[in-house]
């Protein structure tokens, strides 16, 4: 009789939910994006996790690190409607949501839908639009609906917002309010590529004569498959002691002396859901502490605010999160 090692037990445990098709689709998405994008594997995987968790993502990085192109390519791997909105200081709420136009023939107002009526919306440089335009996103991002002239319009699933912003250039930008930041599931910081990746970027750019063939990227998932996998993620097993672990991490942010503003229960739910997605794409139908730790920083970093004293000392939110994760007892 074969000895039941931890590895064998894990394999038997995994078989309760068939995650192979999900893993195959995730690898296919990565392969399609990899036709044009070199590296940035962490950003791509976190974006896929956000789709499976049915959440919006804020992507922050200096110009030229492929934030917009990666989000656009990811949208191309999904057989759903795609809309891109370039945020500018003169953008009005009606430019996003749409507006009612008077029809002289019928003597009635007809609602003309704006570009937000799509499945995947890429908002480029989200911090360049003023507060009243940002406020137009509050309802649709949180509740996936728009109320216009007393009529409610439900967004067709999937409805996902990918937004980019530049952290360095401050001229002509507006700081996003905490209430809006809280509506983003993840904030992904995109760093420069390493030396090997940059050499490969240059080689591929030279070989294709500086022409990007976006048509080479083909759809991998349709709306029905996305909905199926989003429901499948909900079946991932999370033990009670891991739920306590998540709650303890978030509760620590509210009592931490380094933080002026802690995380809300929305953050706890976000960590729970993304940890499930992370487990699923790695072939497990159960969550481990590593899944929780992997997603915690991307969930919390835009929701926490340092105290003025810690900010002046050069502390960062990322450092506080690392300290919390290091001091919290990991459940076994």
């Amino acid at each position: 009789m074969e000895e039941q090692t931890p590895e064998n037990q894990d394999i038997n445990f995994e078989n309760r939910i068939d995650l192979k098709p999900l893993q195959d689709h995730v690898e296919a998405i990565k392969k399609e994006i990899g036709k044009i994008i070199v590296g940035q594997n962490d950003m791509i995987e976190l974006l896929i996790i956000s789709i499976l968790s049915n959440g919006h993502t804020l992507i922050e990085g200096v110009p030229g690190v492929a934030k917009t192109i990666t989000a656009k390519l990811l949208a191309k791997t999904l057989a759903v409607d795609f809309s891109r909105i370039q945020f500018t200081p003169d953008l009005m709420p009606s430019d996003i949501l749409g507006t009612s136009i008077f029809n002289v023939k019928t003597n009635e107002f007809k609602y003309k839908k704006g570009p937000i009526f799509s499945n995947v919306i890429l908002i480029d440089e989200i911090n360049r639009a003023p507060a009243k335009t940002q406020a137009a996103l509050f309802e649709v991002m949180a509740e996936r609906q728009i109320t216009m002239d007393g009529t409610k319009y439900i967004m067709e699933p999937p409805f996902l917002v990918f937004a980019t912003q530049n952290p360095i250039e401050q001229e002509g930008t507006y700081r996003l309010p905490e209430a809006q930041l809280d509506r983003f599931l993840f904030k992904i910081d995109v760093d420069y590529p390493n030396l090997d990746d940059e050499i490969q970027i240059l080689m591929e750019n030279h070989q294709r004569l500086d022409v990007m063939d976006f048509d080479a990227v083909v759809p991998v998932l349709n709306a029905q498959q996305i909905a199926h996998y989003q429901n499948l993620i909900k079946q991932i097993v999370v033990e009670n002691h891991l739920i306590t672990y998540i709650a303890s991490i978030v509760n620590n942010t509210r009592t931490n002396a380094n933080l002026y503003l802690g995380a809300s229960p929305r953050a706890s739910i976000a960590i729970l859901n993304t940890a499930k997605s992370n487990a699923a794409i790695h072939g497990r139908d159960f969550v481990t502490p590593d899944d929780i730790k992997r997603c915690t920083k991307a969930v919390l970093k835009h929701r926490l605010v340092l105290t003025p004293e810690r900010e002046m000392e050069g502390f960062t939110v990322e450092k506080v999160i690392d300290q919390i994760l290091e001091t919290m007892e990991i459940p076994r």
Side-chain angles (χ1 to χ4, degrees), residues 135-255:
L137 296 171
F138 276 37
E139 180 184 13
V140 69
M141 287 181 65
E143 302 174 38
R144 289 176 165 79
Q145 68 177 37
I146 286 173
T147 305
M148 186 66 67
D149 297 331
T151 303
K152 184 189 299 181
Y153 298 89
I154 306 296
M155 312 306 288
E156 289 291 328
F159 177 76
L160 301 162
V161 174
F162 298 142
T164 69
Q165 71 175 13
N166 172 8
I168 303 300
E169 187 182 348
Q170 298 302 318
E171 186 176 348
T173 63
Y174 300 83
R175 189 177 183 276
L176 300 185
E178 273 68 31
Q180 183 178 5
L181 287 171
D182 199 46
R183 283 162 169 77
F184 285 104
L185 180 76
F186 276 157
K187 180 188 173 193
I188 304 173
D189 290 329
V190 187
D191 206 351
Y192 293 111
N194 60 39
L195 179 59
D196 291 338
D197 284 345
E198 188 141 10
I199 291 171
Q200 188 178 344
I201 290 169
L202 291 171
M203 294 290 290
E204 291 188 4
N205 184 275
H206 173 64
Q207 290 167 5
R208 64 173 178 249
L209 304 177
D210 199 22
V211 176
M212 288 189 181
D213 185 12
F214 287 97
D215 293 333
V217 177
V218 298
V220 173
L221 286 175
N222 58 36
Q224 290 73 27
Q225 289 170 316
I226 294 170
H228 169 68
Y229 288 139
Q230 287 175 343
N231 288 326
L232 193 67
I233 295 299
K234 297 173 183 176
Q235 301 175 33
I236 300 295
V237 175
V238 187
E239 299 293 339
N240 289 340
H241 63 278
L242 292 178
I243 292 177
T244 302
Y245 180 51
I246 294 171
S248 299
I249 291 170
V250 175
N251 185 68
N252 192 299
T253 68
R254 301 167 192 163
T255 59

Side-chain angles (χ1 to χ4, degrees), residues 5-280:
T5 64
E7 288 79 10
N8 291 335
Q9 291 171 3
D10 283 352
I11 291 171
N12 293 335
F13 200 73
E14 290 169 10
N15 288 339
R16 295 184 305 183
I17 300 177
D18 184 13
L19 295 170
K20 186 68 167 56
L22 170 59
Q23 286 185 284
D24 290 343
H25 277 122
V26 169
E27 289 306 313
I29 290 172
K30 291 179 180 178
K31 185 178 178 181
E32 290 300 316
I33 296 175
K35 291 178 179 178
I36 293 179
I37 298 297
V38 175
Q40 303 295 8
N41 298 319
D42 194 52
M43 170 174 63
I44 293 168
E45 194 163 284
L46 286 174
L47 285 170
I48 293 171
I49 289 173
S50 73
I51 292 171
L52 296 174
S53 305
N54 197 25
H56 314 299
T57 299
L58 178 64
I59 310 168
E60 182 174 280
V62 297
V65 290
K67 303 184 300 296
T68 302
I69 291 176
T70 302
K72 186 176 179 180
L73 290 174
L74 179 59
K76 274 189 70 70
T77 66
L78 310 177
V80 296
D81 290 337
F82 171 74
S83 179
R84 176 177 174 176
I85 310 172
Q86 184 71 45
F87 268 31
T88 57
D90 60 348
L91 199 71
M92 300 294 287
S94 59
D95 296 326
I96 301 170
L97 304 180
T99 186
S100 295
I101 299 175
F102 185 71
N103 189 326
V104 294
K105 292 183 179 179
T106 61
N107 275 349
E108 293 178 346
F109 283 94
K110 183 178 181 181
Y111 179 45
K112 184 179 180 181
K113 294 180 178 179
I116 200 70
F117 283 87
S118 190
N119 296 118
V120 177
I121 295 91
L122 170 59
I123 299 177
D124 213 5
E125 295 189 305
I126 189 171
N127 56 339
R128 289 202 174 276
K132 62 181 177 182
T133 305
Q134 302 291 353
L137 296 171
F138 276 37
E139 180 184 13
V140 69
M141 287 181 65
E143 302 174 38
R144 289 176 165 79
Q145 68 177 37
I146 286 173
T147 305
M148 186 66 67
D149 297 331
T151 303
K152 184 189 299 181
Y153 298 89
I154 306 296
M155 312 306 288
E156 289 291 328
F159 177 76
L160 301 162
V161 174
F162 298 142
T164 69
Q165 71 175 13
N166 172 8
I168 303 300
E169 187 182 348
Q170 298 302 318
E171 186 176 348
T173 63
Y174 300 83
R175 189 177 183 276
L176 300 185
E178 273 68 31
Q180 183 178 5
L181 287 171
D182 199 46
R183 283 162 169 77
F184 285 104
L185 180 76
F186 276 157
K187 180 188 173 193
I188 304 173
D189 290 329
V190 187
D191 206 351
Y192 293 111
N194 60 39
L195 179 59
D196 291 338
D197 284 345
E198 188 141 10
I199 291 171
Q200 188 178 344
I201 290 169
L202 291 171
M203 294 290 290
E204 291 188 4
N205 184 275
H206 173 64
Q207 290 167 5
R208 64 173 178 249
L209 304 177
D210 199 22
V211 176
M212 288 189 181
D213 185 12
F214 287 97
D215 293 333
V217 177
V218 298
V220 173
L221 286 175
N222 58 36
Q224 290 73 27
Q225 289 170 316
I226 294 170
H228 169 68
Y229 288 139
Q230 287 175 343
N231 288 326
L232 193 67
I233 295 299
K234 297 173 183 176
Q235 301 175 33
I236 300 295
V237 175
V238 187
E239 299 293 339
N240 289 340
H241 63 278
L242 292 178
I243 292 177
T244 302
Y245 180 51
I246 294 171
S248 299
I249 291 170
V250 175
N251 185 68
N252 192 299
T253 68
R254 301 167 192 163
T255 59
N256 195 295
N258 299 312
L259 296 174
Y260 172 73
L261 178 68
S264 69
R266 185 182 283 164
S268 305
I269 296 169
I271 295 173
L272 175 65
N273 292 336
T274 55
K276 290 180 183 179
S277 298
N278 190 70

